[in-house]
Amino acid sequence: MLKGELIFSLLIFVGSLLLYWVTGSFATASVLQGGQMGPAFWPRFILGSIILLSGIVSVGMIHKIVKEKAWGESLLTMDRGKVRFFAAIGLCVAYLALLPVLGFIAVTPLFMIAFMLLLGEKSKGWIIGVSIAMTGIIVVLFTKAMYVPLPRGVWLFREFSLLFY
Amino acid sequence: MDIWLSALQTVFSPTTLFFIAFGVLLGTILGAIPGLNSTMGTALLIPFTFAMEPANGLAMLAAVYCGGTFGGSISAILFNVPGAPEAAATGFDGYPMAQKGQAGEALGYAIMSSVLGGLFSVLVLNLVAPQLAEVGLTFSQPEYFALAVAALTLIASLGGAGMAKAFIAGLIGLLLATVGIDELTADPRFTFGTKALMGGINFIPAIIGAFAVGEILAKAEEGSGLSGEHLTMKVSTKLPRLKELLRLKWTMLRSAVIGTAIGILPGVGATTAAFIGYSEAVRWSKHPEKFGTGVPEGICGPETANNAATGGAMVPLLTLGIPGSATTAVMIGGFLVHGLQPGPMLFMNQPKLMYSIFIAMYVANIFMLFAGLGVAKVFANFRKVRYSILGPVIFIFAAIGSFGIRNDMTDLWIMFVCGIVGYFFKKFKYPIAPMIIGLVLGPLTEVSLRKGMFMTDYELYPFLMRPISGTILVIAVGSVLWNLYTVFIKKKKASLEEIE
């Protein structure tokens, strides 16, 4: 865990340095009264503070690792938990990417079924029932009762969504 | 006196009471469902009020507003998904309390604080509305900046021993708030040439992502134990006893005053009030290190403040015709459909109507107790569902809640990315709450600082010389120094004990 913590704080450190460099592009875009407090002032102040603090945290972590001689487990080891974690991320990415293409009503039940199976749900009745019922409830509640639009998708999927909302 | 009696007669007629009860119930339900809110409910109900008596219609709209502000805390406590932004701070301690198997108690504290906060603010609205509205209008950029800084200093208290990590999290939140078009110069910042980020990072998807999606990803990794013991327990809302309420009296009173005062300020609103209420609850607590682990003060602080802000926001609306929040801005429409113009003349021309609205708000806050208990009972049943089923359902509501804000897919991606950030924050012991506080208060802090500096010709000392901003800033800086001192003393004591 220590190794992961160190990498995370180093990532914040390096990311902040890069973003500090990016602020150079909007510092010159506009200047207020002698260049004071333009659009780059506040982000630079924040990034400078993050760089300083993440540097301190990283040095502290290195010191701790050297002192305790404990690097923790390898980050590349793939146990079942990590596989499930990455699968969950993959599912969420797929859902968000497909939502504007297939529309809410077509993609949501499929996503819910896949996610429930991933989380270890075994009851087929619950999986199918909840997926369909929840999609239906959300469609009725949001589009019919509260007039909140949901993604309809494109092409044939749009026609399909238009049958319901 | 005659006007009061006449107003009482109007409000306590069965029809008006029915509309108030309906408004509170509807507001609470809308508030509890992520993606729907009281502003939306108020807007949808305005056309229906056209056919009603003005007193009935406006009482119902005020009731929706009161109920909606509370409702968000139900889903924040039970599922870590705030139904409304003003409930985000309630989840900081509400959800950990629910995880400890005390969801009923957490809901009870939230309901009671909301009712008392709401009643307090209506009382203030009743007694000194015009005077307060004038004071509110004297607030300028230095005062706004001081308020924002005071709330941000809470981060120092939330970090405990890992203060550096808490500050990093808070700064990341402040940085995220700078994404998009700069409010003062219209320059794009950190948009990387994409149109999607021009509108900035809305804090609602970020909150939903960091808390709810982060939790779902962590649970997915855990795999086993998805139906933990506390999830199968029956949740019944338990209102706090008088003894417990008395123990929290100062937290609630402080938050009620803060909420009412912030509600009066145009454009600040209940969300900021809740965060400042939480921050002050931490600041004045004898055990600030316990916040975030599920303590009643962490629920009462923000929840009293956000409901007190509802009454506060009505002050400038009714006395000056200036809305103090998004919902009160929509409520102007409710007045206009009846040919009424909110403002000082309304007090002179329609005193009975004004007093009817005041009384309706008292009644609405009392009804909220029953509506809160009922809606919380229904929502609490969902906690009995296995996480392997509940997790995906929460994700869908989180996604729709994020999408519903601007009907923009970008918000969904922001929610998801913040979910991953939330997961890693949790894993590597970075507190998430400071990031959210930074994101919520970032725009207010930056804009008030830059505008204030422009006003004072780039001199910082006028910020300290103005009585209100100076006092707030001194207290805020003093509390950070005190926190640093206590952490230093604790570490010194621990190292001495180690040597011994």
Side-chain angles (χ1 to χ4, degrees):
Chain A
M1 196 58 79
L2 284 175
K3 203 190 294 176
E5 228 171 312
L6 174 63
I7 291 171
F8 191 63
S9 58
L10 283 174
L11 272 175
I12 294 173
F13 181 79
V14 175
S16 306
L17 276 175
L18 284 173
L19 289 175
Y20 196 96
W21 173 71
V22 170
T23 60
S25 64
F26 45 81
T28 51
S30 80
V31 172
L32 290 174
Q33 269 205 359
Q36 296 178 77
M37 292 207 172
F41 166 78
W42 185 244
R44 279 184 177 172
F45 168 74
I46 297 166
L47 286 164
S49 309
I50 298 178
I51 291 165
L52 182 74
L53 286 170
S54 56
I56 292 171
V57 170
S58 303
V59 171
M61 288 305 306
I62 294 169
H63 181 72
K64 203 173 171 184
I65 288 168
V66 171
K67 199 178 158 188
E68 293 176 12
K69 290 178 185 167
W71 278 90
E73 60 182 52
S74 166
L75 293 177
L76 299 172
T77 319
M78 286 296 273
D79 54 18
R80 291 183 79 176
K82 276 185 189 159
V83 170
R84 259 196 310 270
F85 169 73
F86 285 114
I89 287 196
L91 259 179
C92 294
V93 170
Y95 177 67
L96 298 184
L98 290 173
L99 200 55
V101 182
L102 303 184
F104 180 82
I105 202 159
V107 76
T108 301
L110 298 176
F111 166 77
M112 287 183 80
I113 290 168
F115 212 157
M116 283 182 204
L117 288 171
L118 177 76
L119 292 181
E121 181 55 43
K122 293 194 172 72
S123 162
K124 283 176 192 161
W126 271 98
I127 292 174
I128 294 167
V130 171
S131 308
I132 294 170
M134 279 314 298
T135 309
I137 290 169
I138 291 173
V139 166
V140 172
L141 183 67
F142 280 74
T143 64
K144 304 290 177 196
M146 298 304 296
Y147 304 102
V148 177
L150 294 173
R152 287 198 174 105
V154 292
W155 193 55
L156 269 179
F157 297 104
R158 185 178 165 77
E159 301 301 320
F160 177 67
S161 298
L162 282 170
L163 293 174
F164 302 94
Y165 59 94
Chain B
M1 198 63 193
D2 286 349
I3 299 168
W4 273 104
L5 286 174
S6 174
L8 273 169
Q9 219 170 5
T10 307
V11 173
F12 284 94
S13 70
T15 326
T16 315
L17 285 176
F18 169 77
F19 284 123
I20 296 172
F22 173 74
V24 172
L25 188 65
L26 182 73
T28 310
I29 294 170
L30 292 180
I33 300 171
L36 303 178
N37 54 50
S38 59
T39 312
M40 211 179 265
T42 311
L44 284 170
L45 283 181
I46 285 175
F48 295 101
T49 64
F50 183 66
M52 294 179 189
E53 283 290 316
N56 288 347
L58 292 168
M60 184 171 75
L61 296 182
V64 173
Y65 184 28
C66 294
T69 309
F70 158 69
S73 63
I74 296 176
S75 43
I77 290 169
L78 293 173
F79 311 112
N80 213 11
V81 185
E86 46 270 40
T90 309
F92 292 168
D93 274 276
Y95 186 64
M97 213 165 155
Q99 276 186 313
K100 287 195 282 188
Q102 298 170 339
E105 285 86 345
L107 287 166
Y109 281 116
I111 294 173
M112 212 60 208
S113 320
S114 298
V115 170
L116 294 176
L119 287 174
F120 177 89
S121 70
V122 184
L123 183 71
V124 172
L125 168 71
N126 221 194
L127 299 176
V128 281
Q131 293 86 337
L132 278 178
E134 279 172 27
V135 174
L137 287 179
T138 62
F139 260 58
S140 187
Q141 300 307 326
E143 283 76 23
Y144 283 116
F145 175 69
L147 270 180
V149 169
L152 284 172
T153 54
L154 150 77
I155 291 168
S157 321
L158 285 176
M163 207 180 272
K165 283 183 175 176
F167 274 117
I168 291 174
L171 287 162
I172 289 174
L174 287 173
L175 185 69
L176 289 174
T178 65
V179 174
I181 299 283
D182 176 28
E183 205 178 310
L184 300 183
T185 62
D187 284 307
R189 298 189 295 190
F190 303 120
T191 56
F192 305 100
T194 58
K195 277 186 188 167
L197 289 173
M198 290 277 191
I201 293 180
N202 190 300
F203 66 84
I204 302 174
I207 291 172
I208 293 176
F211 285 107
V213 179
E215 174 92 6
I216 292 168
L217 293 175
K219 292 268 190 202
E221 189 180 18
E222 271 175 36
S224 58
L226 288 174
S227 54
E229 200 182 326
H230 62 278
L231 294 179
T232 54
M233 281 165 63
K234 195 184 171 194
V235 178
S236 56
T237 310
K238 287 178 195 144
L239 290 176
R241 290 179 196 157
L242 185 65
K243 201 174 122 189
E244 290 162 329
L245 281 178
L246 285 173
R247 192 175 64 77
L248 297 164
K249 60 183 180 295
W250 296 118
T251 307
M252 288 208 234
L253 184 64
R254 195 184 311 114
S255 287
V257 173
I258 290 169
T260 309
I262 288 173
I264 293 168
L265 305 174
V268 184
T271 308
T272 311
F275 278 93
I276 296 179
Y278 186 80
S279 101
E280 292 313 305
V282 178
R283 193 191 312 280
W284 298 99
S285 168
K286 284 179 187 161
H287 303 286
E289 73 284 354
K290 287 187 180 168
F291 277 76
T293 61
V295 290
E297 289 89 337
I299 297 171
C300 294
E303 206 48 40
T304 311
N306 69 26
N307 258 71
T310 56
M314 296 293 278
V315 173
L317 175 77
L318 296 179
T319 55
L320 303 167
I322 302 168
S325 68
T327 313
T328 48
V330 174
M331 276 173 75
I332 289 182
F335 281 90
L336 294 178
V337 293
H338 293 288
L340 303 164
Q341 179 68 49
M345 292 309 286
L346 202 62
F347 271 95
M348 287 188 213
N349 299 333
Q350 299 276 349
K352 188 185 152 191
L353 177 69
M354 285 293 99
Y355 291 120
S356 299
I357 294 174
F358 289 159
I359 297 167
M361 284 186 77
Y362 281 115
V363 176
N365 277 293
I366 292 164
F367 277 179
M368 204 158 69
L369 190 68
F370 304 103
L373 285 170
V375 177
K377 197 178 169 71
V378 174
F379 275 74
N381 284 324
F382 293 112
R383 268 187 77 81
K384 286 188 246 170
V385 179
R386 288 188 292 276
Y387 201 84
S388 51
I389 290 169
L390 193 61
V393 173
I394 292 176
F395 185 89
I396 295 300
F397 270 101
I400 297 309
S402 303
F403 179 79
I405 300 160
R406 296 187 289 199
N407 303 325
D408 187 352
M409 283 303 294
T410 312
D411 286 331
L412 280 175
W413 289 104
I414 288 170
M415 174 204 78
F416 178 62
V417 171
C418 286
I420 295 178
V421 171
Y423 166 83
F424 282 111
F425 266 38
K426 208 172 165 183
K427 199 173 175 88
F428 299 129
K429 298 177 197 103
Y430 283 76
I432 299 170
M435 183 180 86
I436 301 305
I437 292 164
L439 184 56
V440 171
L441 297 171
L444 180 69
T445 318
E446 184 191 2
V447 172
S448 59
L449 172 69
R450 286 170 63 194
K451 279 187 181 171
M453 289 295 271
F454 189 75
M455 262 173 61
T456 59
D457 214 12
Y458 296 99
E459 296 284 357
L460 202 57
Y461 77 88
F463 281 66
L464 292 166
M465 291 299 122
R466 292 169 73 101
I468 299 174
S469 63
T471 313
I472 298 173
L473 283 172
V474 167
I475 294 173
V477 174
S479 78
V480 172
L481 293 176
W482 175 252
N483 263 307
L484 288 171
Y485 173 74
T486 48
V487 168
F488 174 73
I489 292 290
K490 269 182 195 168
K491 276 193 176 174
K492 208 176 169 185
K493 263 188 188 172
S495 63
L496 277 173
E497 277 170 15
E498 214 171 276
I499 292 165
E500 277 171 16

